[in-house]
Amino acid sequence: LHLVQNLRVSDRCAHSSGTRGWGGGGKWGVKKVMSTIEWQLLFQKRCPSRGTFTAWCNSHLRKAGTQIENIEEDFRNGLKLMLLLEVISAERLPKPDKGKMRFHKIANVNKALEFISSKGVKLVSIGAEEIVDGNLKMTLGMIWTIILRFAIQDISVEETSAKEGLLLWCQRKTAPYRNVNVQNFHISWKDGLALCALIHRHRPDLIDYSKLRKDDPIGNLNTAFEVAEKYLDIPKMLDADDIVNTPKPDEKAIMTYVSCFYHAFAGAEQAETAANRICKVLAVNQENEKLMEEYEKLASELLEWIRRTIPWLENRVAEQTMHAMQQKLEDFRDYRRVHKPPKVQEKCQLEINFNTLQTKLRLSNRPAFMPSEGKMVSDIANAWKGLEQVEKGYEEWLLTEIRRLERLDHLAEKFKQKSTLHKSWTTGKEELLSQKDYESASLMEIRALMRKHEAFESDLAAHQDRVEQIAAIAQELNELDYYDAATINARCQGICDQWDNLGTLTQKRRESLERVEKLWETIDQLYLEFAKRAAPFNNWMDGAMEDLQDMFIVHNSFFVHTILITAHDQFKATLPEADKERMAIMGIHNEILKIAQTYGIKVVGENLYTVLSPQDISNKWEAVKQLVPMRDQTLQEEVARQQSNERLRRQFAAQANIIGPWIQTKMEEISHVSIDIAGSLEEQMSNLKTYEQNIINYKSNIDKLEGDHQLSQEGLIFDNKHTNYTMEHVRVGWEQLLTTIARTINEVENQILTRDAKGISQEQLNEFRASFNHFDRKRNGMMDPDDFRACLISMGYDLVSAFSPGEVEFARIMALVDPNNTGVVTFQAFIDFMTRETAETDTAEQVMASFKILASDKLYITVEELRRELPPEQAEYCISRMTKYIGGDAPPGSLDYISFSSALYGESDLWKKLDHNEYKQRVMVNVVHDIMVKDLGEVPSGGAHGHSRWRS
């Protein structure tokens, strides 16, 4: 032994997997130095794998009620070796030979070795004779092969090899722990912290990791060994002193021991994976439900606002006053400027949310979202369309009513003015006509009364036109539905009745005067002539004064110039002739004075034939001359107002003629960006965001145009020959532009979402876009069915003949890309179709399999299991939505996770065709099928239902 130690044979023993054999001649000639007994004693004492392998074998043999004491002796007859293989493989080996002869033992060991070989394991240089002869090296090599096949080979993390997979699993589990850095299966485990971290990660109740110290490796290792043996049923396979005091601990021994931890925690790993999958699916479902609830809420609020607004816009009950109608117009402006724009944004956002939700549902393999009845996007669009139709009619009605009320106010004021003048003229006329002064008058007085009456009749006839004008105005006010028509009618009726009475009284007085006319001989012709000429002239002056003070309504300066100013100039041109008539009338009066002076006639009192005096004529003439410049000023002010209105028209037109084409240009640019394939989706998104910001920044121009439009309406300007763009056109274009940029951005966002979710490269997306653009012949971002058919044919689909099965296939594809039968295929639907077959999403069957793991292979799951395996929020979500399990083998309160999993993805055709129990059986067969394929590596030719092992 002393010689062997000097030769460091023990180090060679520790590396038994070297190229040289345990007894090979080699450099040192070990066989010449040691006897077999000495060699075995040294190997038993110095090889750590021996004790580890023995403990590992006993951990499995004790399940069969036995164990081994000496690893090279107890396996020599092959009986316990066959029993070990049956325990770890859960399979039956051939019946062992019961004899005790050497050939019986060799036969049993060969049966074990053949079973190992049947599992795809190559046994190099290991024969039954060596095992029967108790060759320790061969026996340990065989046990290590068994450990690799049945304990380590199935360990694979991210498609790595068995050893690398086990190492990666250890690294991931211990990554969060301080002072732990697992890089191999030897020195990384010397301080014992890695083993303690593995236990604490899965069972934190067994070890207080915070109290462990790196400088106490033996204490750490013994803690791990004791806890594993006591609580995890992992026997102590290693010695703490050997690990700590050996420069490089035995790799196989540590791998064997660590693999026991992997298998001990495999159930927890599987449950954790299943729980993570379920949480992921439930999180997607909860997020989708939240988006659905938000859509329902926004849709309800928007529809309710439209429902409340339409009756207000449909109310066409006109107000009676101009002020009230102006207030209605102001309320409508507030609605257009303040109340409606946020609703336009809400409507656009609602469509965006709906499209995003449908995309998320489609990408997560969920059924499409069907809003409540009456809350589809199309329903909202129809309601909005109805709102805008009513809105347009309401504004037209408002402006028409304002024009009508303006006309009514003007006519009412004119009626009042003319009625007042008429009243002034008729004051005292009835009393005058009713007098009987002619009965006691002298001849001259009778003649004077007769002439005076004739003058009155002349005046009465002259006033006939004014009365007819008053009646005509009253009639027009009635036709225009003037609110105070009753008062107008009453006053008009009073004037007409009075006029008829005046006519009757005039006729009676004339008859009376004519009866006594013959009694009177002389009439002062000069007074009569004065009276006859003064009365019409006075009447003309009254008319002139009335015209000079007449009110007017105009809507352009051209009317002021061509009608009013021209008429006024014509009137001023008649003033010289009127002045001649005045001078002639005054000449008659002067002639009377001259005759009286010449012939010594004393003129006493006033002209008996008229109430008009020369002073009256002079005073009215001065009044007419004063009104002429006042009328000039009024007309010039109106010209200035109309010129101001014209400036407003030109100012509005200048902006509108810029804004209108700008909006159209931006619409075209956005359309160009949305079909551009030169850059990536992110570049398209950046360009669209830039456009959106530019559009938002341009809002101030729209607001300024709104301000000019309001000024125009306040100035009662309702026409503009300088532009074809009305404010309504600009508003509609602006709202379409906002909606288009928002929708386009949302489409690109959905394309990015689809690209990332389905793993589409930018090159593939560009190819899709190029194909789509080529067959989008109208360049409107949509393909009609014929263009889409041509696109599919260009990609290899057999859809040429209308009577071939290809037509059925095309109908199926159209049902996928155009489920609402709109008659067009959008780019988003085109991308969905092109990537539909390659999508990798969770399925209902996968979720069922995950629940099955948490339920320990039962067809139901309990509330306690859900709360134990899932986070609180997800657990309560499942409990509140799962139905009770129907079956006699389940405890009360058990839940049906199969129907719940199916409902997450909508009712499939399979679910509709099968009853519940049969569907569960089908699902379980599929689950078993997946497990068998994984374990066996192949599918039996008979299928899941045609093979005896599968059926069992």
Side-chain angles (χ1 to χ4, degrees), residues 685-793:
M685 178 64 71
S686 177
N687 292 338
L688 289 173
K689 289 291 186 180
T690 301
Y691 277 108
E692 183 181 38
Q693 188 59 48
N694 292 339
I695 291 170
I696 293 173
N697 295 338
Y698 201 75
K699 180 64 165 58
S700 59
N701 297 303
I702 305 297
D703 295 337
K704 186 176 184 303
L705 191 66
E706 283 281 6
D708 291 343
H709 176 64
Q710 181 174 347
L711 291 176
S712 298
Q713 285 195 334
E714 290 173 353
L716 300 178
I717 302 172
F718 304 110
D719 62 320
N720 195 335
K721 65 181 180 180
H722 304 296
T723 180
N724 293 326
Y725 295 99
T726 65
M727 194 65 231
E728 181 63 25
H729 292 154
V730 174
R731 287 173 186 150
V732 172
W734 178 252
E735 291 176 2
Q736 290 178 347
L737 181 60
L738 291 176
T739 302
T740 299
I741 186 64
R743 285 177 178 169
T744 305
I745 289 175
N746 179 246
E747 288 174 0
V748 176
E749 288 174 343
N750 286 341
Q751 291 174 25
I752 292 175
L753 190 61
T754 302
R755 180 198 66 189
D756 296 341
K758 298 189 175 183
I760 307 173
S761 66
Q762 186 63 46
E763 291 73 17
Q764 287 177 306
L765 203 60
N766 289 342
E767 291 177 4
F768 293 159
R769 172 57 78 182
S771 299
F772 186 87
N773 289 347
H774 178 75
F775 290 96
D776 178 15
R777 307 186 194 281
K778 297 180 181 178
R779 295 296 182 266
N780 60 355
M782 292 177 287
M783 287 190 290
D784 59 30
D786 291 338
D787 291 337
F788 182 53
R789 182 196 297 272
C791 181
L792 292 177
I793 292 173

Side-chain angles (χ1 to χ4, degrees), residues 365 842-849 898 901-906 919 923:
N365 202 26
D842 292 317
T843 64
E845 287 74 15
Q846 290 174 328
V847 176
M848 291 178 199
I898 294 179
S901 301
S902 178
L904 287 177
Y905 294 86
Y919 180 69
V923 172

Side-chain angles (χ1 to χ4, degrees), residues 450-716:
M450 188 62 186
R451 299 298 178 264
K452 184 177 180 180
H453 188 69
E454 289 177 354
F456 174 78
E457 288 181 327
S458 177
D459 197 9
L460 186 67
H463 273 80
Q464 176 69 32
D465 182 60
R466 180 176 291 121
V467 174
E468 290 176 355
Q469 290 179 8
I470 292 173
I473 293 172
Q475 182 179 357
E476 188 172 359
L477 286 171
N478 278 275
E479 292 173 352
L480 292 177
D481 195 21
Y482 183 57
Y483 76 96
D484 198 16
T487 302
I488 296 294
N489 292 336
R491 189 169 185 180
C492 181
Q493 187 62 43
I495 290 172
C496 292
D497 293 343
Q498 185 187 35
W499 186 256
D500 292 341
N501 189 40
L502 285 175
T504 301
L505 292 175
T506 300
Q507 183 64 27
K508 288 182 178 179
R509 184 171 178 82
R510 181 174 184 80
E511 291 174 354
S512 298
L513 290 173
E514 285 178 349
R515 283 197 306 268
V516 296
E517 183 180 11
K518 294 180 181 180
L519 300 176
W520 313 105
E521 296 178 353
T522 307
I523 298 175
D524 192 344
Q525 295 297 324
L526 289 176
Y527 273 127
L528 180 59
E529 184 179 357
F530 178 89
K532 287 183 178 180
R533 296 186 68 171
F537 185 69
N538 181 70
N539 214 25
W540 175 86
M541 287 191 293
D542 287 341
M545 292 174 66
E546 181 179 347
D547 291 340
L548 290 173
Q549 299 176 77
D550 192 18
M551 299 173 63
F552 52 83
I553 300 177
V554 294
H555 293 289
N556 56 71
S557 58
F558 176 78
F559 180 83
V560 177
H561 280 288
T562 57
I563 305 299
L564 298 179
I565 293 180
T566 300
H568 186 59
D569 290 342
Q570 290 175 353
F571 168 76
K572 289 193 292 185
T574 64
L575 289 178
E577 289 294 328
D579 192 42
K580 289 180 181 180
E581 179 65 14
R582 181 187 67 82
M583 294 298 293
I585 293 172
M586 296 305 294
I588 294 173
H589 176 67
N590 292 334
E591 183 67 20
I592 292 173
L593 295 178
K594 182 179 179 182
I595 293 173
Q597 184 179 5
T598 301
Y599 295 99
I601 300 175
K602 185 178 181 180
V603 179
V604 180
E606 299 176 351
N607 190 332
L608 299 177
Y609 304 119
T610 181
V611 296
L612 296 173
S613 66
Q615 189 61 42
D616 293 334
I617 299 297
S618 298
N619 291 341
K620 283 193 177 181
W621 178 252
E622 291 299 325
V624 169
K625 289 197 297 182
Q626 290 177 0
L627 287 174
V628 170
M630 293 173 63
R631 184 70 168 184
D632 286 334
Q633 182 179 356
T634 301
L635 291 174
Q636 291 305 316
E637 290 175 352
E638 182 61 26
V639 169
R641 190 177 75 85
Q642 292 300 327
Q643 289 175 345
S644 174
N645 288 350
E646 183 65 13
R647 284 194 298 274
L648 288 175
R649 290 188 183 95
R650 292 180 181 276
Q651 180 175 332
F652 177 87
Q655 293 188 81
N657 290 336
I658 295 174
I659 293 175
W662 184 89
I663 292 175
Q664 183 62 34
T665 300
K666 291 302 175 185
M667 292 283 284
E668 295 172 356
E669 290 176 353
I670 292 169
S671 175
H672 178 73
V673 170
S674 66
I675 64 174
D676 189 13
I677 62 174
S680 64
L681 288 178
E682 283 73 14
E683 291 173 340
Q684 288 187 36
M685 178 64 71
S686 177
N687 292 338
L688 289 173
K689 289 291 186 180
T690 301
Y691 277 108
E692 183 181 38
Q693 188 59 48
N694 292 339
I695 291 170
I696 293 173
N697 295 338
Y698 201 75
K699 180 64 165 58
S700 59
N701 297 303
I702 305 297
D703 295 337
K704 186 176 184 303
L705 191 66
E706 283 281 6
D708 291 343
H709 176 64
Q710 181 174 347
L711 291 176
S712 298
Q713 285 195 334
E714 290 173 353
L716 300 178

Side-chain angles (χ1 to χ4, degrees), residues 116-383:
I116 296 173
S117 298
S118 70
K119 297 301 182 181
V121 178
K122 293 183 180 180
L123 298 171
V124 180
S125 301
I126 298 178
E129 291 80 1
E130 287 85 352
I131 305 301
V132 172
D133 292 339
N135 187 320
L136 183 59
K137 170 200 168 184
M138 294 301 177
T139 302
L140 292 177
M142 178 188 65
I143 297 301
W144 174 241
T145 301
I146 294 172
I147 293 173
L148 283 176
R149 170 59 184 87
F150 293 100
I152 299 178
Q153 180 175 315
D154 290 339
I155 300 175
S156 178
V157 180
E158 294 185 356
E159 300 181 357
T160 59
S161 65
K163 177 180 178 181
E164 293 172 346
L166 182 59
L167 184 63
L168 181 58
W169 178 80
C170 295
Q171 289 172 340
R172 288 186 174 179
K173 294 303 178 182
T174 60
Y177 291 87
R178 58 181 174 82
N179 297 326
V180 177
N181 184 18
V182 177
Q183 297 297 327
N184 49 57
F185 285 110
H186 38 80
I187 61 175
S188 295
W189 305 83
K190 288 186 66 173
D191 58 10
L193 291 177
L195 284 174
C196 292
L198 276 181
I199 296 173
H200 184 270
R201 180 63 182 269
H202 296 90
R203 291 290 302 275
D205 56 311
L206 300 181
I207 291 180
D208 187 353
Y209 188 84
S210 63
K211 294 182 178 181
L212 301 178
R213 294 182 293 107
K214 188 175 180 64
D215 58 0
D216 184 19
I218 292 185
N220 298 336
L221 287 168
N222 285 330
T223 297
F225 296 156
E226 293 169 2
V227 169
E229 188 170 29
K230 182 176 180 181
Y231 296 101
L232 304 179
D233 199 25
I234 299 176
K236 183 178 179 181
M237 302 181 184
L238 303 172
D239 184 84
D241 293 327
D242 285 344
I243 294 177
V244 174
N245 297 323
T246 302
K248 184 179 180 182
D250 187 87
E251 187 175 47
K252 295 189 180 90
I254 292 180
M255 280 185 66
T256 301
Y257 188 61
V258 172
S259 68
C260 294
F261 284 90
Y262 177 86
H263 291 290
F265 297 133
E269 290 292 323
Q270 190 179 30
E272 181 180 350
T273 301
N276 289 337
R277 177 186 292 276
I278 292 171
C279 289
K280 175 185 174 183
V281 172
L282 295 181
V284 171
N285 229 52
Q286 289 173 305
E287 180 183 0
N288 291 340
E289 287 180 358
K290 182 179 179 182
L291 292 176
M292 293 176 190
E293 292 173 359
E294 290 177 355
Y295 175 87
E296 290 282 342
K297 180 175 179 293
L298 287 176
S300 298
E301 292 175 354
L302 183 57
L303 289 172
E304 175 61 20
W305 179 81
I306 294 174
R307 186 190 64 78
R308 294 196 313 267
T309 304
I310 286 180
W312 174 64
L313 295 174
E314 288 178 336
N315 181 12
R316 305 298 163 83
V317 178
E319 299 293 340
Q320 297 181 344
T321 63
M322 187 70 164
H323 175 74
M325 287 304 297
Q326 289 283 4
Q327 185 59 48
K328 274 184 174 287
L329 182 59
E330 188 62 30
D331 292 342
F332 181 71
R333 288 174 182 155
D334 287 342
Y335 158 78
R336 293 299 299 266
R337 292 193 305 260
V338 179
H339 302 294
K340 185 182 177 185
K343 299 302 178 183
V344 173
Q345 294 296 326
E346 288 181 15
K347 173 177 173 291
C348 179
Q349 189 61 44
L350 198 64
E351 295 177 3
I352 291 173
N353 291 351
F354 182 81
N355 293 334
T356 301
L357 175 59
Q358 297 293 45
T359 300
K360 288 186 176 182
L361 290 172
R362 184 173 60 253
L363 294 178
S364 59
N365 202 26
R366 266 55 167 193
F369 169 54
M370 181 62 65
S372 302
E373 184 177 358
K375 296 179 183 177
M376 291 288 293
V377 172
S378 58
D379 297 326
I380 295 172
N382 292 334

Side-chain angles (χ1 to χ4, degrees), residues 363 754 758 760 768 830-840:
L363 294 178
T754 302
K758 298 189 175 183
I760 307 173
F768 293 159
F830 179 71
I831 291 180
D832 291 342
F833 171 73
M834 296 301 296
T835 60
R836 188 180 301 274
E837 301 302 324
T838 61
E840 295 182 1

